[in-house]
Amino acid sequence: MNPLGFSPGSAKERFCFRRMYKRKNNSANWQKLDNTANLFPAIATHTMTNVYRIAVDLNEEVDRNTLQKALDMVLPGFDTFNVHMRKGVFWYYFETNDKRAPFVEEENDYPCRYIEPYANNNYLFRVTYYKRRINLEVFHVLADGMGGINFLRELVYQYLRLRHPDIAGEQEDGLSDVTSLNTEDSYLKNYRKSHAKGYKTARAVEVRGEKLEAGELGIIHGYMPLKEVKEAGRSFGASINEYLTGLLAYSVFCEYLHGQPSLRPVVVCVPVNLRPYFDSMTTRNFFVMVSALFKPEKDDYTFEEVLDKIKASLKNQINKEHLEELFSYNVSNQKNIFLRSVPFFIKKIAMRFVYRSSARAGTTTLTNIGNIAIDDAYKDYVKRFYSMISVSTGQNIKGAVVSYNGELVFTFTSILADVSIQRRFFTLLVEHGVHVTIESNGVYYE
């Protein structure tokens, strides 16, 4: 009886089975955490989990056993996910995880919960399901959203091949052509010396208020036609990212600041995928945060005025030279000989202090995973994708965007009881000609 819990009968299963045991018979490999990943173990807690979710809705009910089998087969091929984290004297590091894949379970709790490094068979991600939905939750130490999509897409493909053998086609024993297995540290590869600090840490507006019960996370999805969002943004001379970021900043100004001036700016933190700028295919973290800033100095701003300030702020920062400046400064600290020799428990204290200062320089975060492409053979089985991110210090409400098959899904996560910012955001979209359907996880109606 094999420890995977299934008999590898088909060619596809025999291939994956052989690949798995080839890996397991090798001695454990290890690798350093990438530059961004070094921060997450130092700051992660049960209330600030640094866990994100990417989920997919299928057009059929999910079968747990098949999903478990698919995960068992796919995981060994992904070095980014097939690891556990160990603590060294100076830094954490990854080592190949020889334990069986995490157990797939039906979802029974709130999204983006803390992932205990020494539970879950020592894996730093979890796979759950609920009715027709498959959820992948990832501790950010492993990968950013692009790496998560890379893994989830192959998991879904394998699941559907097992459920529907007739759609396997030419991909029966291999990965999709668009799936990368690259695990390089692209921060180090593209690092340039002599960069000064490229970001500011001045305090921003913090959205506060009555909170939900401890452990609860409020989720609101907005489903809308991608074409209509593009047209609305175009009518204001803005890209989708600029338009949605401007809507979020304006909603905070209207609902939290009540349209009043503020000594502190409204700052929307926007993660930027660095891969297109530096020709990278890595499945590990490779992004930086830029800050879309709007300082309310009067009480009668129109949406257009706020959007213009947001657009100017983003355009000044999203260029290759500035992005390189941002991550090269961080890498230079990692490469500093003196800092490298400091024991990790001291680094951890310092990183937490620096993080708290920089985290309060943002009001909220808006991340856009982008448009997800699915191979034609699987399109009839996949309805939509979602993305969501956990809240963090100083940021009690966040937004995430993903698009698929002509639909854009905007998801708010929040630990605040008040939903006026979300309501204003979606109301503005409707006023701009976008048809929006709203869905919530129900915490606001209990």
Side-chain angles (χ1 to χ4, degrees):
M1 181 176 179
N2 74 70
L4 301 179
F6 68 90
S7 176
S10 69
K12 171 164 64 270
E13 290 176 290
R14 288 196 300 273
F15 170 81
C16 294
F17 186 82
R18 287 197 303 270
R19 183 173 63 180
M20 178 175 288
Y21 271 84
K22 181 179 179 180
R23 288 284 304 276
K24 295 214 179 273
N25 288 333
N26 289 339
S27 59
N29 298 312
W30 72 276
Q31 59 181 333
K32 297 178 180 178
L33 275 62
D34 62 66
N35 179 260
T36 296
N38 279 314
L39 174 67
F40 296 119
I43 63 173
T45 65
H46 285 272
T47 56
M48 191 175 67
T49 65
N50 291 289
V51 170
Y52 66 84
R53 169 183 288 195
I54 302 173
V56 57
D57 266 358
L58 303 181
N59 289 319
E60 60 187 37
E61 296 283 321
V62 175
D63 178 74
R64 192 203 72 82
N65 291 333
T66 306
L67 183 56
Q68 181 70 65
K69 185 186 291 187
L71 180 59
D72 291 341
M73 295 171 72
V74 167
L75 178 59
F78 284 84
D79 291 341
T80 303
F81 285 79
N82 194 32
V83 296
H84 61 121
M85 189 169 60
R86 290 192 177 278
K87 185 187 296 184
V89 176
F90 302 108
W91 293 106
Y92 281 98
Y93 64 95
F94 290 136
E95 194 172 74
T96 301
N97 193 340
D98 289 334
K99 296 184 178 180
R100 69 158 296 164
F103 290 102
V104 172
E105 297 180 349
E106 185 174 16
E107 183 178 17
N108 59 9
D109 209 333
Y110 292 97
C112 301
R113 292 175 294 110
Y114 181 70
I115 296 178
E116 171 57 58
Y118 304 107
N120 193 42
N121 284 348
N122 299 132
Y123 288 98
L124 299 172
F125 70 95
R126 67 170 66 97
V127 175
T128 61
Y129 71 97
Y130 181 72
K131 294 185 178 180
R132 300 184 177 191
R133 187 177 65 238
I134 297 173
N135 307 307
L136 171 67
E137 295 193 335
V138 183
F139 184 24
H140 224 315
V141 71
L142 292 180
D144 57 22
M146 296 304 296
I149 285 291
N150 199 51
F151 183 73
L152 177 62
R153 184 165 44 205
E154 287 300 332
L155 176 62
V156 171
Y157 286 174
Q158 183 62 65
Y159 172 84
L160 291 173
R161 288 197 293 265
L162 291 172
R163 292 290 284 176
H164 306 279
D166 55 307
I167 68 171
E170 297 178 358
Q171 298 181 14
E172 182 176 359
D173 283 342
L175 300 178
S176 168
D177 291 339
V178 301
T179 296
S180 172
L181 297 179
N182 187 306
T183 60
E184 73 173 16
D185 186 337
S186 291
Y187 292 112
L188 285 176
K189 179 180 178 180
N190 295 284
Y191 156 75
R192 297 293 180 267
K193 294 182 179 180
S194 302
H195 275 295
K197 183 178 179 181
Y199 51 87
K200 300 178 181 179
T201 55
R203 288 285 294 269
V205 169
E206 180 178 347
V207 180
R208 299 179 179 179
E210 179 187 352
K211 293 185 177 181
L212 299 170
E213 295 293 326
E216 290 186 338
L217 183 66
I219 309 296
I220 299 179
H221 300 296
Y223 309 117
M224 59 202 80
L226 176 61
K227 181 180 179 181
E228 292 182 359
V229 180
K230 285 183 179 179
E231 291 174 350
R234 192 179 298 120
S235 70
F236 293 102
S239 68
I240 288 179
N241 273 352
E242 291 169 341
Y243 173 62
L244 294 176
T245 304
L247 283 175
L248 184 51
Y250 187 66
S251 298
V252 172
F253 170 68
C254 292
E255 299 300 329
Y256 185 70
L257 296 178
H258 305 293
Q260 298 299 309
S262 171
L263 295 176
R264 294 176 179 170
V266 174
V267 178
V268 181
C269 301
V270 179
V272 178
N273 175 22
L274 295 172
R275 293 168 182 81
Y277 296 91
F278 297 94
D279 193 27
S280 170
M281 291 290 291
T282 187
T283 56
R284 301 170 75 184
N285 288 298
F286 194 40
F287 71 99
V288 294
M289 303 289 284
V290 299
S291 299
L293 186 149
F294 154 59
K295 188 171 183 179
E297 296 176 332
K298 59 178 184 177
D299 58 5
D300 58 349
Y301 286 99
T302 64
F303 169 68
E304 291 87 342
E305 289 176 313
V306 172
L307 179 58
D308 285 344
K309 292 180 180 296
I310 292 296
K311 286 166 53 181
S313 180
L314 288 173
K315 286 178 178 177
N316 286 337
Q317 298 175 76
I318 302 181
N319 57 76
K320 184 175 181 179
E321 292 73 20
H322 181 66
L323 297 174
E324 179 183 280
E325 183 180 70
L326 289 173
F327 72 79
S328 289
Y329 172 76
N330 294 330
V331 174
S332 68
N333 289 330
Q334 179 185 345
K335 293 174 68 70
N336 183 286
I337 294 177
F338 172 73
L339 294 177
R340 287 169 60 186
S341 64
V342 175
F344 182 75
F345 76 92
I346 297 177
K347 288 191 182 89
K348 186 173 183 178
I349 296 171
M351 284 191 288
R352 283 183 170 180
F353 175 79
V354 172
Y355 172 77
R356 289 192 186 99
S357 299
S358 60
R360 296 191 182 280
T363 302
T364 183
T365 294
L366 176 54
T367 182
N368 189 345
I369 299 296
N371 189 57
I372 298 178
I374 290 293
D375 289 352
D376 289 343
Y378 308 97
K379 285 183 177 178
D380 289 342
Y381 301 89
V382 177
K383 181 178 181 181
R384 65 163 54 103
F385 284 85
Y386 312 80
S387 175
M388 61 187 75
I389 51 180
S390 55
V391 298
S392 58
T393 300
Q395 298 189 28
N396 295 318
I397 178 173
K398 293 186 179 183
V401 181
V402 68
S403 303
Y404 168 71
N405 195 29
E407 180 184 62
L408 183 146
V409 182
F410 191 106
T411 301
F412 278 105
T413 50
S414 176
I415 57 172
L416 299 175
D418 182 70
V419 295
S420 58
I421 291 174
Q422 297 95 311
R423 185 182 300 113
R424 170 72 69 154
F425 180 89
F426 290 124
T427 298
L428 286 168
L429 279 165
V430 173
E431 290 175 356
H432 297 165
V434 179
H435 292 82
V436 181
T437 302
I438 304 296
E439 183 181 30
S440 165
N441 66 341
V443 297
Y444 302 111
Y445 310 110
E446 295 178 352

